[in-house]
Amino acid sequence: MSVDDLNLLEATQRPLQNELLQTARRLLDDGTSDDDRAAAISHLRDESEDAWERCNAFLLAYAVSRCCEPAEGVDDRGIRSGLHDRFADEFIDAVASGLPALALECWTHPPMLIPPLPPMAKQTAMLVAVLDEAIRRQAGQADPQPLVDAFPDGVWIELSDDPAHVGANTEP
């Protein structure tokens, strides 16, 4: 991507991130049912078309993670209590770290999902894992507020038929 393309992408994604933050807050709200969450994700996925796989799933997961408190402590063996998804924990913690490139790296290099999924299904599964962990972390919080800034750059994820290869264009 050229510098102009990235600048345009960033400019168009900035207002989208504000909308996705509002969506994330609704998804994290205690009053939102699981059915309403699934319907909202499905609607956004269908409305996004190709952009779902390339950026919108990532940006929504990033928005959800922006509202999460840091992970709770670990026991003396380095294990968190309760059920946790390693990918979701790592992604949310990467967002909380304030290092957006780390979050993008985590998203584009998740643990292998078995069986390998098509890009749209894979992006959706990753988003749902992040959302589930975020809901666990934010239990009881009525109005989730963003704790970190929006993703600072334009993002367009390059897809490949090779499930081990996914990259992100954030630099020209």
Side-chain angles (χ1 to χ4, degrees):
M1 278 188 167
S2 72
V3 172
D4 289 339
D5 290 339
L6 283 174
N7 288 338
L8 178 61
L9 185 63
E10 182 180 338
T12 59
Q13 286 180 348
R14 194 167 321 219
L16 172 66
Q17 286 197 67
N18 291 332
E19 291 177 32
L20 292 176
L21 180 58
Q22 297 309 312
T23 300
R25 291 174 70 189
R26 284 191 303 276
L27 292 173
L28 290 171
D29 188 274
D30 281 345
T32 303
S33 71
D34 289 341
D35 288 342
D36 289 341
R37 286 184 181 102
I41 291 169
S42 178
H43 174 75
L44 183 58
R45 183 187 61 221
D46 294 345
E47 187 178 84
S48 296
E49 298 176 355
D50 187 44
W52 180 256
E53 301 163 12
R54 306 286 189 160
C55 60
N56 288 358
F58 167 78
L59 291 173
L60 180 55
Y62 196 90
V64 165
S65 300
R66 289 174 59 198
C67 297
C68 285
E69 296 288 340
E72 71 276 6
V74 295
D75 67 16
D76 57 353
R77 296 171 294 159
I79 299 173
R80 293 188 182 152
S81 60
L83 297 174
H84 295 275
D85 180 286
R86 190 183 100 218
F87 162 74
D89 272 343
E90 289 174 2
F91 181 77
I92 292 171
D93 290 346
V95 172
S97 75
L99 301 172
L102 182 61
L104 187 58
E105 176 72 17
C106 183
W107 187 267
T108 56
H109 296 89
M112 290 298 284
L113 298 173
I114 300 173
L117 298 170
M120 182 176 284
K122 182 176 183 178
Q123 299 292 317
T124 302
M126 290 164 42
L127 168 66
V128 169
V130 168
L131 180 59
D132 287 347
E133 178 58 25
I135 290 169
R136 268 194 290 279
R137 290 188 188 192
Q138 297 308 105
Q141 185 177 354
D143 190 21
Q145 296 297 318
L147 304 174
V148 295
D149 293 331
F151 193 79
D153 301 311
V155 62
W156 192 252
I157 297 171
E158 294 297 326
L159 304 173
S160 168
D161 290 336
D162 176 3
H165 172 74
V166 178
N169 275 336
T170 56
E171 297 179 11

